Amino acid sequence: KGENQMPLIAMNREMGSLGKDVATGLEQALGMKVRHHEIIDQLANRARIRKSHVVSFLEGTQGLLERLTTDYLSLRILTADEIISVAESGDAVILRGWGATSLLKDVPHAVRICVSASRRTRVKRMMERLDSTDAAQIERIVNQNDEAARAVMRRHFHIDTRDINEYDMGFNTDRVSVPQCVDEIVKLVKSSQFAETEESRNSLRDVATTHHVRAALRTHASTSHCKVRVTAVAGHVTLEGIVDRIEQSESCSDIASRM
């Protein structure tokens, strides 16, 4: 097929990089939706925790009490499942942050983008945005945000957010304007190389199935503590791992078969 049926863009951005402006520009240029806050609402409901806890988990800003009381493995599995669910929803969609670029790396029609800028430029922009003259304080905020974001991606998705090999295209907004970023991304989205095909849809379906099964196993009482590796290839799901009782194995198979 010559053009994408469902544009799918995953983006990582740094504080003060203008990545949010690029996402907004793409919304307008492609008639797409940026998904961000809806994911927080869904995760809070599914994990039965406060939205503020979801945000602090995703941004790496948890306090000691949250660290002690939150099941981070479940939240990580549910986050991945939620992001993938949005990706396969059929909407033209932009997924901003939270490991989307890593989760969609095996989906051929997913365009993975990084928007960054030098620390100096980002500090200057944040000073203007926050109407502050305290450069040292704003630099601390930017540094803390950078370190927290990198730690979350490293811990939960095993990626280095500054490794350009994680992306199809990267932009430095010190030198490239927001409209230029949008134009280049639109070209990539509309190129034959990133066209949605039956094969790429099947790849997304396999990725989605894998994460749906993982989430189902983690949230079902009978299988929540089973250490099971899930893979899906051409619609066929494989479970590998060790269980304490044969009933757990049967429960895992039963839950996986319903996905």
Side-chain angles (χ1 to χ4, degrees):
K1 295 177 183 178
E3 62 182 51
N4 287 16
Q5 303 300 305
M6 186 196 77
L8 182 57
I9 299 172
M11 178 189 294
N12 274 343
R13 66 182 182 92
E14 295 175 315
M15 175 181 276
S17 67
L18 304 182
K20 191 174 181 180
D21 297 340
V22 173
T24 300
L26 288 168
E27 269 190 309
Q28 296 166 350
L30 293 166
M32 301 176 75
K33 299 174 184 174
V34 176
R35 293 300 185 93
H36 191 74
H37 296 295
E38 304 97 319
I39 293 175
I40 294 174
D41 293 339
Q42 283 288 100
L43 281 172
N45 289 335
R46 290 181 71 183
R48 296 187 178 89
I49 60 176
R50 295 177 184 172
K51 283 197 276 188
S52 61
H53 285 203
V54 174
V55 173
S56 62
F57 162 73
L58 293 169
E59 295 182 353
T61 56
Q62 310 96 322
L64 179 60
L65 182 61
E66 285 175 90
R67 289 197 192 100
L68 293 173
T69 58
T70 304
D71 179 355
Y72 286 117
L73 179 57
S74 291
L75 198 45
R76 183 178 76 199
I77 290 170
L78 289 175
T79 299
D81 185 46
E82 200 60 43
I83 289 169
I84 292 296
S85 294
V86 172
E88 66 168 345
S89 66
D91 292 333
V93 70
I94 304 162
L95 289 158
R96 187 154 57 78
W98 306 339
T101 55
S102 175
L103 293 168
L104 295 172
K105 66 184 177 184
D106 293 324
V107 178
H109 67 275
V111 177
R112 300 175 302 143
I113 303 296
C114 176
V115 181
S116 63
S118 66
R119 182 173 285 119
R120 181 181 66 254
T121 297
R122 293 188 293 122
V123 168
K124 182 180 175 185
R125 287 171 181 161
M126 293 308 298
M127 287 176 68
E128 293 170 359
R129 191 176 300 172
L130 299 173
D131 195 21
S132 172
T133 57
D134 190 340
Q137 182 192 24
I138 300 302
E139 185 165 12
R140 277 195 299 275
I141 292 171
V142 169
N143 288 342
Q144 287 168 0
N145 185 274
D146 286 354
E147 288 165 14
R150 281 201 285 273
V152 166
M153 290 301 103
R154 197 165 47 241
R155 186 183 311 125
H156 299 306
F157 299 103
H158 312 296
I159 65 170
D160 177 359
T161 55
R162 302 217 73 172
D163 181 357
I164 196 62
N165 294 310
E166 293 289 340
Y167 310 104
D168 301 308
M169 188 175 280
F171 296 94
N172 175 2
T173 58
D174 280 30
R175 294 169 59 84
V176 184
S177 70
V178 168
Q180 286 174 319
C181 293
V182 172
D183 287 347
E184 290 301 319
I185 296 168
V186 168
K187 284 181 195 172
L188 207 61
V189 167
K190 292 186 174 180
S191 69
S192 60
Q193 186 179 354
F194 287 90
E196 183 186 352
T197 63
E198 189 62 36
E199 184 181 358
S200 73
R201 276 193 292 276
N202 289 338
S203 296
L204 177 56
R205 196 172 298 122
D206 282 341
V207 172
T209 300
T210 297
H211 288 287
H212 295 338
V213 172
R214 280 180 188 161
L217 293 176
R218 185 67 187 180
T219 53
H220 198 283
S222 64
T223 57
S224 60
H225 298 293
C226 295
K227 292 184 171 67
V228 178
R229 182 171 178 263
V230 181
T231 53
V233 178
H236 298 287
V237 178
T238 301
L239 305 178
E240 299 174 275
I242 299 172
V243 294
D244 296 328
R245 302 184 306 278
I246 189 64
E247 295 84 4
Q248 289 178 324
S249 176
E250 292 168 352
S251 294
C252 287
S253 297
D254 182 50
I255 290 168
S257 69
R258 295 183 216 153
M259 293 296 106

